[in-house]
Amino acid sequence: NKLNNSNFEFIPYKHIIVDNIFTNDFYQKLLENKIPTECLTALVESGSVGKYYSDKRFILKLSSKLTILSKKHRLFWEEIYQWFNTDFKYLIQKKFDFEKEIDLRLLYSRDFQGYELGPHTDNPSKLFTLLIYLTETNDNYEYGTSIFTPKSDYIKNCEGLKHHNFDNFNIFRNIEYKYNRLFGFLKSDNSFHGVLPIKKDFVSSEVLPVNNEDIINFLTSNFFNPSSNCFDKILDPSPLFFSISSTISSPKAALYNN
């Protein structure tokens, strides 16, 4: 499948980009079942980030009881969560060559105009992160996640407990926000990444979007501390994603392209 046949890149740190990760039919079902904004909560109000975090990112933890969703959406995303936490989790473990079972979290997220995220390497409790962009077109490609490298006179490594200023970094590459794309990387002391300010009046989803970017965000805790917790208008570039840190188990035929 696409994931197994894709190669890692190692500069400036280990990461992978996979286009057309799912079949078109499955990806369209994700788009058709995007979660309404009124069912999402500002990440800054969740207690998992500091009070100075942007108030333009809205999320739903797919591991929680999804009673806020309509029956149609709840049944769909419960099934998706189960599949990601079983079949897809197995593929991830195999691809990244993890010897021990990983703990996955799945987060559905949507970013609005004004969202930005300074360069950072991720919380030390994380082992890796995967993002699946959810967008119907490639019109807002510039609003993806960026890989950064520190400028020569700045720190070269960071444990992950700080978000840095953009001025101290060079953009190594922008992982463009494109249809049916996966971006993933291993957490390290130099895995600097972030999101440049979203200036356009649209929504982005990293898993899903009208004028919005949605994203499916897979996060995992490290092996030794798996339990660590270290606008009504939808715009097309604001990112929407969901993040998994558990397993998914309903086998689905032809979810991945060969």
Side-chain angles (χ1 to χ4, degrees):
N1 59 47
K2 281 280 187 175
L3 182 62
N4 284 338
N5 293 332
S6 298
N7 295 321
F8 286 106
E9 298 181 42
F10 295 91
I11 299 175
Y13 50 82
K14 187 174 182 177
H15 64 279
I16 191 169
I17 301 166
V18 185
D19 286 320
N20 299 313
I21 179 67
F22 300 119
T23 62
N24 279 329
D25 287 347
F26 179 70
Y27 191 73
Q28 283 300 316
K29 288 180 180 178
L30 292 175
L31 295 176
E32 291 167 5
N33 286 275
K34 60 186 178 182
I35 296 174
T37 299
E38 57 266 25
C39 297
L40 306 177
T41 301
L43 180 57
V44 72
E45 297 175 4
S46 69
S48 59
V49 295
K51 62 181 180 179
Y52 298 111
Y53 193 91
S54 172
D55 62 356
K56 304 300 184 183
R57 168 163 283 184
F58 287 72
I59 61 119
L60 180 65
K61 295 178 180 178
L62 295 183
S63 57
S64 63
K65 294 181 178 180
L66 303 178
T67 53
I68 194 172
L69 300 181
S70 67
K71 182 178 180 180
K72 171 180 176 287
H73 283 129
R74 185 176 73 254
L75 293 176
F76 177 83
W77 287 106
E78 284 176 348
E79 185 175 12
I80 291 299
Y81 178 83
Q82 288 303 313
W83 180 79
F84 271 109
N85 259 316
T86 50
D87 295 4
F88 191 74
K89 175 179 173 178
Y90 170 78
L91 293 175
I92 294 171
Q93 290 186 178
K94 182 178 179 181
K95 182 64 179 179
F96 283 83
D97 199 25
F98 296 139
E99 295 181 357
K100 298 183 180 180
E101 185 174 0
I102 56 178
D103 176 43
L104 285 178
R105 290 179 294 146
L106 183 59
L107 181 71
Y108 185 98
S109 155
R110 177 174 290 139
D111 299 336
F112 289 85
Q113 181 183 19
Y115 181 74
E116 63 180 73
L117 188 60
H120 62 292
T121 62
D122 272 349
N123 190 291
S125 68
K126 291 184 185 179
L127 178 63
F128 74 96
T129 293
L130 293 181
L131 303 177
I132 297 175
Y133 294 156
L134 293 178
T135 181
E136 295 170 354
T137 72
N138 293 334
D139 293 347
N140 300 298
Y141 64 89
E142 69 267 34
Y143 291 106
T145 297
S146 293
I147 294 176
F148 294 94
T149 54
K151 292 184 176 178
S152 58
D153 57 348
Y154 198 62
I155 62 170
K156 304 305 176 191
N157 298 285
C158 178
E159 182 183 8
L161 298 177
K162 179 181 179 181
H163 288 189
H164 301 265
N165 293 326
F166 291 110
D167 292 344
N168 294 318
F169 287 80
N170 296 311
I171 300 175
F172 177 81
R173 180 178 182 181
N174 181 37
I175 312 302
E176 296 174 337
Y177 185 68
K178 288 188 173 182
Y179 181 92
N180 205 1
R181 167 172 278 187
L182 175 147
F183 167 53
F185 60 90
L186 283 176
K187 154 66 181 161
S188 68
D189 285 349
N190 75 325
S191 56
F192 291 104
H193 63 285
V195 179
L196 295 170
I198 295 177
K199 299 178 180 179
K200 194 173 181 180
D201 185 22
F202 85 118
V203 173
S204 104
S205 300
E206 288 168 305
V207 179
L208 306 176
V210 171
N211 284 346
N212 81 245
E213 292 176 8
D214 287 16
I215 299 168
I216 295 175
N217 188 353
F218 300 84
L219 310 173
T220 184
S221 305
N222 64 39
F223 298 132
F224 306 104
N225 190 12
S227 62
S228 177
N229 296 315
C230 321
F231 345 81
D232 296 324
K233 178 181 178 184
I234 298 183
L235 314 169
D236 201 355
S238 53
L240 163 39
F241 64 85
F242 69 79
S243 153
I244 289 186
S245 72
S246 225
T247 349
I248 273 192
S249 77
S250 75
K252 294 258 182 198
L255 285 179
Y256 291 92
N257 284 327
N258 294 317

